């Protein structure tokens, strides 16, 4: 079992749940990182005594220094700090729970340092999945998915011998807060409506992605990269109850599913204990109390982001980083009340068409594609 961890993005939804799990285990913390939430980071430093704490800016780092003068924790800031946190000698595992493309460089650094990655930051695999997986193989770094669907597939695959035996990966999707609405109704939804997810409490960006179904599009790409299958082998089914976390269908027609209480602490714990399993930290699933389990096809017409993501997945190259960068920027604008709900799709598909396509991009070309996509969205 892992005995020392660093958590990138410790003040966020996944970060806080990771620390909750860590607090129940004999696991030390090497480094914690956050954006600007100094008050929570100071509390976390007191509780977990990391060697290093990293904030996004110098101002936030200075404010944190003032708060934790009496602790032995070193404080630094910015990208350099994130890289340091990702590669601390003591840590065997790095949980990547920062949001967005920001996670790419520290994840690569942690992989090159041979760490186990508890991967929550899906944008990393969407933008540079081929590169990340190749580096993980080269440096022998394990990538254990924290995203609930991918953790479910990981668990289903434990019982399947060979990749050629996989017929389909089936990702389940709650459908988000706007399930059942048509295009016309979706034109009138607000930010407050989008931020009300029926089953999960998450950070704002991923909650909006769940409302547009872009989150499921990102997860299709994440699954392709993690399990090295083409997009045609990844299906999505709407499953409103979020009890079946995903499934694998084998060539002989057997379907393996992983079910559980919808609580992110379960996949987080497994990322730390794998290949062992330890006691359940949350209420166990009571199937007799669960509602009937239903499965339907997603409405690709009302939620065009999912279809767009599948197209980008098929195109490969810079299509995925462009889509992701444009989406990050458009969601930030939506959260800032600058654009409406459907503008997110319009801007992202506009960027995918406008930014020049490169088939086999280097890391630099991926970063440039991301930059151009964001510039396109901001210029509209
Ligand atoms: P949150 O928004 O809740 O947390 C994001 C974290 O990143 C916070 O610690 C935040 O710090 C930090 N951060 C934000 N901006 C910066 C910056 N510029 N520099 C350094 N750190 C920064 O996100 P979530 O926890 O919801 O999601 C994290 C990742 O996990 C995402 O990639 C998401 O897709 C994925 N994921 C999340 C799930 C969930 O249930 N939440 C489920 C599956 C995947 P601060 O608090 O100071 O702003
Ligand atoms: Mg998920």
């Amino acid at each position: 079992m892992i005995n020392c961890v660093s958590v990138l993005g410790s003040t966020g939804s996944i970060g806080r749940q990771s620390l909750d799990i860590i607090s129940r285990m004999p696991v030390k913390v090497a480094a914690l990182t956050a954006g600007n939430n100094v008050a929570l980071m100071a509390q976390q430093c007191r509780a977990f005594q990391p060697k290093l704490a990293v904030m996004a800016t110098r101002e936030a780092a200075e404010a944190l220094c003032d708060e934790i003068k009496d602790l032995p924790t070193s404080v630094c800031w910015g990208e350099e700090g994130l890289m340091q946190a990702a590669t601390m000698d003591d840590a065997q595992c790095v949980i990547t729970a920062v949001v967005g493309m920001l996670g790419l460089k520290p994840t690569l650094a942690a992989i090159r340092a041979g760490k186990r990655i508890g991967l929550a930051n899906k944008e990393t695999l969407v933008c540079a999945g081929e590169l990340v997986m190749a580096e993980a193989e080269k440096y022998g770094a394990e990538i254990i998915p924290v995203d609930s669907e991918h953790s479910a597939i990981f668990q289903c695959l434990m019982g399947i011998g060979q990749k050629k035996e996989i017929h389909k990966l089936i990702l389940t999707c709650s459908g988000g807060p706007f399930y059942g609405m048509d295009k016309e109704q979706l034109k009138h939804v607000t930010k407050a409506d989008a931020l009300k997810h029926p089953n999960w409490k998450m950070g704002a960006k991923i909650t909006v992605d769940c409302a547009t179904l872009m989150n499921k599009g990102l997860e299709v790409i994440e699954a392709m990269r993690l399990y090295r299958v083409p997009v045609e082998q990844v299906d999505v089914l709407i499953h409103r109850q979020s009890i079946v976390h995903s499934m694998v269908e084998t060539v002989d027609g057997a379907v393996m599913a992983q079910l559980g209480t919808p609580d992110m602490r379960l996949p987080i714990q497994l990322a730390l204990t794998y290949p062992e399993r330890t006691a359940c930290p949350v209420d166990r699933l009571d199937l007799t109390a669960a509602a009937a389990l239903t499965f339907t096809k997603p409405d690709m017409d009302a939620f065009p982001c999912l279809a767009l993501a599948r197209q980008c997945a098929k195109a490969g190259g810079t299509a995925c980083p462009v889509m992701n960068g444009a989406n990050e920027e458009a969601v930030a604008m939506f959260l800032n009340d600058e654009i409406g709900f459907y503008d997110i799709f319009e801007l992202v598909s506009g960027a995918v068409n406008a930014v020049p396509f490169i088939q086999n991009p280097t890391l630099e070309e991926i970063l440039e594609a991301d930059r151009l996509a964001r510039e396109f969205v901001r210029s509209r």
Side-chain angles (χ1 to χ4, degrees):
M1 205 196 289
I2 296 293
N3 55 37
C4 184
V5 185
S6 291
V7 183
L8 312 184
S10 62
T11 52
S13 159
I14 294 288
R16 280 178 272 123
Q17 295 181 84
S18 300
L19 289 177
D20 178 75
I21 287 296
I22 289 167
S23 72
R24 300 157 193 254
M25 298 168 81
V27 173
K28 288 201 179 105
V29 174
L32 297 176
T33 86
N36 289 303
N37 191 342
V38 173
L40 181 55
M41 177 57 102
Q43 275 177 33
Q44 293 181 342
C45 287
R46 281 194 194 283
F48 294 92
Q49 308 269 327
K51 279 197 177 159
L52 176 69
V54 180
M55 303 300 298
T57 62
R58 177 197 286 258
E59 296 71 46
E62 282 170 0
L64 180 66
C65 276
D66 280 348
E67 293 277 335
I68 59 166
K69 275 194 216 88
D70 54 315
L71 300 183
T73 302
S74 327
V75 176
C76 60
W77 57 279
E79 189 177 286
E80 210 171 291
L82 260 178
M83 301 296 269
Q84 220 177 307
T87 54
M88 296 275 289
D89 278 343
D90 313 21
Q92 296 160 298
C93 174
V94 176
I95 297 182
T96 60
V98 291
V99 59
M101 176 71 171
L102 173 77
L104 176 57
K105 285 186 189 168
T107 304
L108 279 172
I111 286 172
R112 289 172 183 150
K115 311 290 185 200
R116 172 184 290 193
I117 309 294
L119 188 104
N121 178 253
K122 63 189 82 181
E123 294 89 350
T124 288
L125 280 188
V126 170
C127 294
E130 282 166 11
L131 201 103
V132 167
M133 295 308 289
E135 290 293 277
E137 202 169 290
K138 181 170 163 194
Y139 290 90
E142 291 173 295
I143 299 191
I144 315 282
V146 162
D147 210 348
S148 58
E149 296 78 0
H150 304 76
S151 175
I153 289 172
F154 182 81
Q155 294 176 64
C156 293
L157 289 175
M158 286 178 191
I160 298 174
Q162 298 181 46
K163 200 184 132 194
K164 66 173 198 242
E165 294 173 355
I166 299 173
H167 176 61
K168 280 228 155 105
L169 306 181
I170 305 166
L171 299 177
T172 54
C173 172
S174 73
F178 304 143
Y179 170 75
M181 287 192 187
D182 61 23
K183 268 191 153 159
E184 198 42 47
Q185 290 168 304
L186 284 170
K187 282 188 187 142
H188 308 291
V189 299
T190 65
K191 176 171 96 178
D193 300 328
L195 288 175
K196 276 184 226 136
H197 193 278
N199 303 345
W200 301 95
K201 174 117 190 55
M202 308 173 287
K205 191 259 175 184
I206 183 173
T207 306
V208 175
D209 286 346
C210 286
T212 59
L213 294 204
M214 179 58 94
N215 182 52
K216 212 46 60 177
L218 299 175
E219 290 186 354
V220 167
I221 301 166
E222 186 184 7
M224 288 169 64
R225 300 295 179 245
L226 276 171
Y227 303 113
R228 298 176 192 243
V229 294
V231 66
E232 293 78 11
Q233 262 179 288
V234 187
D235 274 0
V236 172
L237 282 181
I238 302 292
H239 167 53
R240 295 293 285 160
Q241 300 80 25
S242 297
I243 298 286
V244 175
H245 297 310
S246 278
M247 295 174 265
V248 176
E249 183 178 350
T250 49
V251 284
D252 60 354
V255 180
M256 246 69 72
Q258 189 259 333
L259 288 72
T261 305
D263 191 311
M264 289 307 297
R265 288 174 295 178
L266 293 172
I268 292 169
Q269 175 170 294
L270 184 66
L272 294 174
T273 64
Y274 176 81
E276 289 167 42
R277 289 183 182 270
T278 54
C280 179
V282 303
D283 289 341
R284 285 176 182 277
L285 179 62
D286 176 359
L287 278 173
T288 60
L293 305 181
T294 57
F295 302 91
T296 54
K297 290 213 161 118
D299 180 347
M300 305 287 262
D301 185 48
F303 297 93
C305 285
L306 179 53
L308 177 67
R310 295 192 78 97
Q311 281 162 22
C312 291
K314 200 162 169 59
T318 45
C320 295
V322 167
M323 181 193 78
N324 179 74
N327 183 60
E328 283 189 29
E329 211 57 44
V331 170
M333 288 168 79
F334 175 72
L335 287 171
N336 221 8
D337 297 312
E338 292 169 79
I339 59 171
F341 186 71
Y342 254 119
D343 297 327
I344 299 175
F345 167 72
E346 296 295 341
L347 286 167
V348 177
S349 68
V352 169
N353 290 323
V355 175
F357 177 78
I358 301 172
Q359 186 64 65
N360 290 307
T362 60
L363 178 60
E364 286 65 38
E365 287 167 336
I366 288 171
L367 295 172
E368 178 62 6
D370 171 77
R371 193 188 66 74
L372 290 173
R374 288 168 194 272
E375 196 177 88
F376 174 90
V377 170
R378 261 183 265 115
S379 72
R380 294 294 118 163

